[in-house]
């Protein structure tokens, strides 16, 4: 039973979303995963017919709980992302051999755990994202060499023993993340040579959220073009992930940013809500809310949201860690900015005003600039104007 989810996920790129009322073998897989994580009570014996298992209220609550603690969007339904997270959560360090497979990268909580241990010991294993990539392999090989193990880049019993013996004696560093911060400051205050990927959400046949004729897809594309213009004028090299008629998948968007070797990735969305009182600007960065996070991403999420709210008067809804694919699969600091509610009358009016959209673009420029400035030269929020620009 334990291999079922992994097996199903490997072969499929798209799956039907499961939710209340769904039934069948896929529901049985999900419930088995939730049971093994202790989120559902154990089954009484083996079910006679897994096809008859139903996505009941208890399943929904367990899924919501799982989504909450994993930093996923909490909707109580199991789409691709939640399904994969469930399958990854079932692996503990030592359950299997870990190594770099370029064809089909190994993913799981055991990989996160390995990466975190290497990082704590001062080895650059890449971001602790639960994906065993080339950086993790390099970090692991260096560790193995230093500790007199066979430097084969595979985490097996001998390597695990060494890691366990070292235990948590060495802590408090997250040196690689600190280094990541430092190298950003070292790179100097100018944006020349910086590559920034701006990702307008949705597009093509997917309008995103809408209000009358107004669509999120159009507005964020307009915002992205304004941001592109301002950043380019400041010397940065800017790429947009889509044009008007395209709607790339999250994998295509993040692949594009990785291929472009971007220094920073900014995804733009707007929000909508059933209540017309919901309003404001939120930002998201990679993290689980329990330790694993991207410090540069978190800092940029904070800067950009504060700049936008200071310049537009929109409500500040804070910055939040998420494990969304978009934030996780990007190899550079990545932030998603949800820039106001189309369903809120004032937010909407602001977003429909081209001058306000230009202010948002200036806010993003200022935030990018502040990210590269040393802390003591950091100007107050809402005031920074690039030299030579108005
Ligand atoms: Zn959106």
């Amino acid at each position: 039973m334990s291999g079922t989810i992994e097996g199903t996920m490997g072969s499929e790129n798209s799956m039907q979303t499961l939710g209340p009322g769904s039934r069948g073998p896929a529901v049985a897989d999900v419930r088995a995963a939730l049971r093994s994580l202790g989120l559902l009570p154990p089954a009484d014996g083996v079910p006679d017919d897994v096809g008859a298992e139903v996505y009941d209220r208890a399943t929904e609550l367990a899924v919501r709980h799982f989504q909450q603690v994993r930093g996923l969007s909490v909707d109580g339904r199991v789409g691709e992302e939640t399904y994969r997270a469930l399958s990854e959560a079932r692996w503990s360090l030592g359950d299997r051999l870990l190594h770099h497979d370029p064809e089909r990268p190994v993913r799981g909580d055991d990989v996160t755990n390995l990466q975190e241990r290497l990082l704590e010991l001062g080895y650059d294993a890449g971001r602790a994202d639960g994906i065993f990539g080339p950086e993790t392999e390099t970090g692991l090989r260096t560790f193995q060499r230093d500790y007199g193990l066979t430097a084969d880049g595979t985490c097996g019993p001998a390597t695990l023993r060494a890691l366990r013996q070292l235990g948590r004696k060495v802590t408090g560093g997250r040196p690689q993340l600190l280094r990541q911060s430092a190298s950003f400051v070292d790179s100097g205050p100018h944006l020349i040579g910086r590559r920034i990927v701006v990702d307008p959400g949705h597009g093509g046949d997917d309008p995103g959220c809408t209000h009358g004729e107004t669509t999120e897809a159009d507005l964020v594309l307009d915002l992205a073009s304004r941001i592109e213009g301002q950043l380019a004028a400041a010397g940065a090299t800017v790429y947009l992930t889509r044009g008007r008629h395209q709607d790339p998948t999250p994998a295509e968007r993040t692949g594009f940013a990785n291929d472009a070797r971007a220094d920073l990735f900014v995804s733009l969305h707007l929000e909508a809500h059933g209540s017309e009182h919901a309003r404001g600007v939120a930002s998201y960065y990679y993290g689980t809310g329990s330790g694993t996070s991207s410090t540069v991403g978190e800092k940029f999420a904070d800067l950009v949201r504060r700049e936008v709210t200071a310049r537009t008067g929109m409500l500040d809804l804070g910055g939040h860690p998420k494990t969304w694919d978009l934030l996780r699969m990007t190899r550079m600091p990545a932030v998603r900015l949800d820039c106001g509610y189309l369903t809120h009358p004032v937010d909407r009016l602001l977003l429909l005003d081209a001058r306000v959209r230009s202010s948002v673009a200036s806010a993003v420029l200022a935030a990018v600039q502040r990210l590269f400035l040393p802390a003591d030269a950091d100007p107050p929020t809402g005031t920074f104007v690039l030299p030579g620009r108005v």
Side-chain angles (χ1 to χ4, degrees):
M1 196 93 180
S2 70
T4 331
I5 277 209
E6 180 69 7
T8 317
M9 278 316 293
S11 58
E12 284 187 24
N13 286 320
S14 62
M15 61 166 283
Q16 224 184 337
T17 298
L18 304 173
S22 300
R23 55 180 70 229
V27 173
D29 280 355
V30 166
R31 289 175 48 85
L34 293 167
R35 276 188 210 107
S36 78
L37 295 169
L39 296 172
L40 274 182
D44 335 317
V46 179
D48 308 327
D49 177 10
V50 291
E53 281 217 47
V54 181
Y55 200 114
D56 56 9
R57 180 75 182 142
T59 310
E60 187 192 347
L61 289 175
V63 167
R64 280 183 180 275
H65 179 80
F66 176 76
Q67 289 171 325
Q68 185 91 50
V69 297
R70 298 286 291 199
L72 297 159
S73 301
V74 180
D75 61 1
R77 301 166 68 81
V78 178
E80 226 172 294
E81 216 164 19
T82 300
Y83 205 65
R84 197 166 54 220
L86 275 170
S87 82
E88 290 174 14
R90 303 172 82 184
W91 294 106
S92 315
L93 201 52
D95 284 355
R96 54 181 174 173
L97 288 178
L98 297 175
H99 61 95
H100 177 45
D101 177 356
E103 294 295 303
R104 193 160 171 262
V106 183
R107 296 155 163 265
D109 282 18
D110 48 351
V111 178
T112 312
N113 200 322
L114 171 66
Q115 290 167 326
E116 286 183 335
R117 287 186 191 209
L118 289 171
L119 289 169
E120 273 165 7
L121 292 167
Y123 292 92
D124 188 348
R127 200 165 64 173
D129 58 2
I131 306 169
F132 199 118
E135 288 170 323
T136 310
E137 185 186 52
T138 309
L140 181 59
R141 278 183 198 276
T142 316
F143 168 77
Q144 289 174 324
R145 230 180 338 262
D146 287 358
Y147 285 83
L149 301 158
T150 313
D152 57 2
T154 297
C155 182
T159 305
L160 275 178
R161 216 161 28 241
L163 283 169
R164 291 209 169 105
Q165 275 161 8
L166 289 162
R168 306 264 166 173
K169 272 178 281 183
V170 195
T171 53
R174 296 202 162 270
Q176 192 267 341
L177 296 182
L178 296 176
R179 270 207 299 285
Q180 196 188 8
S181 276
S183 71
F184 257 76
V185 172
D186 287 347
S187 62
H190 57 75
L191 296 184
I192 293 163
R194 291 283 135 196
R195 294 158 181 269
I196 297 159
V197 168
V198 181
D199 172 50
H202 314 279
D205 292 333
D206 173 15
C209 49
T210 58
H211 189 273
E213 293 289 285
T214 311
T215 71
E216 177 188 0
D218 285 347
L219 277 177
V220 292
L221 183 62
D222 175 278
L223 276 176
S225 310
R226 288 171 199 267
I227 293 168
E228 179 186 25
Q230 296 214 16
L231 285 171
T237 308
V238 188
Y239 305 94
L240 301 194
T241 53
R242 70 165 177 93
R244 187 166 299 279
H245 303 294
Q246 296 147 300
D247 177 23
T249 63
E252 287 164 346
R253 293 172 196 255
T254 55
F256 176 83
N258 291 340
D259 290 346
R261 307 181 68 79
D263 298 300
L264 191 63
F265 177 88
V266 188
S267 186
L268 301 167
H269 283 259
L270 303 177
E271 267 282 23
H273 197 274
S275 156
E276 66 165 27
H277 299 295
R279 67 188 180 102
V281 178
S283 57
Y284 303 92
Y285 54 92
Y286 178 75
T288 57
S290 59
T292 307
S293 71
S294 150
T295 52
V296 176
E298 184 173 355
K299 183 175 181 203
F300 184 69
D302 195 45
L303 285 171
V304 74
R305 193 191 64 255
R306 281 163 42 201
E307 288 289 346
V308 169
T309 51
R311 287 161 196 253
T312 60
M314 285 197 255
L315 185 68
D316 188 336
L317 300 176
H320 311 276
K322 290 286 172 193
T323 56
W324 294 328
D325 275 355
L326 203 70
L327 304 176
R328 179 187 186 190
M329 306 291 293
T330 32
R331 287 201 287 269
M332 69 294 312
V335 164
R336 172 172 149 167
L337 180 69
D338 280 13
C339 195
Y341 279 74
L342 266 189
T343 39
H344 187 267
V346 177
D347 275 9
R348 187 169 63 243
L349 217 66
L350 289 169
L351 289 164
L352 287 174
D353 184 335
R355 286 164 306 179
V356 174
R357 293 201 299 277
S358 283
S359 298
V360 171
S362 311
V364 173
L365 170 63
V368 171
Q369 194 72 13
R370 288 179 70 182
L371 191 67
F372 293 94
L373 279 178
D376 54 0
D378 198 17
T381 302
T383 62
F384 189 66
V385 178
L386 267 180
R389 288 183 56 80
V390 214

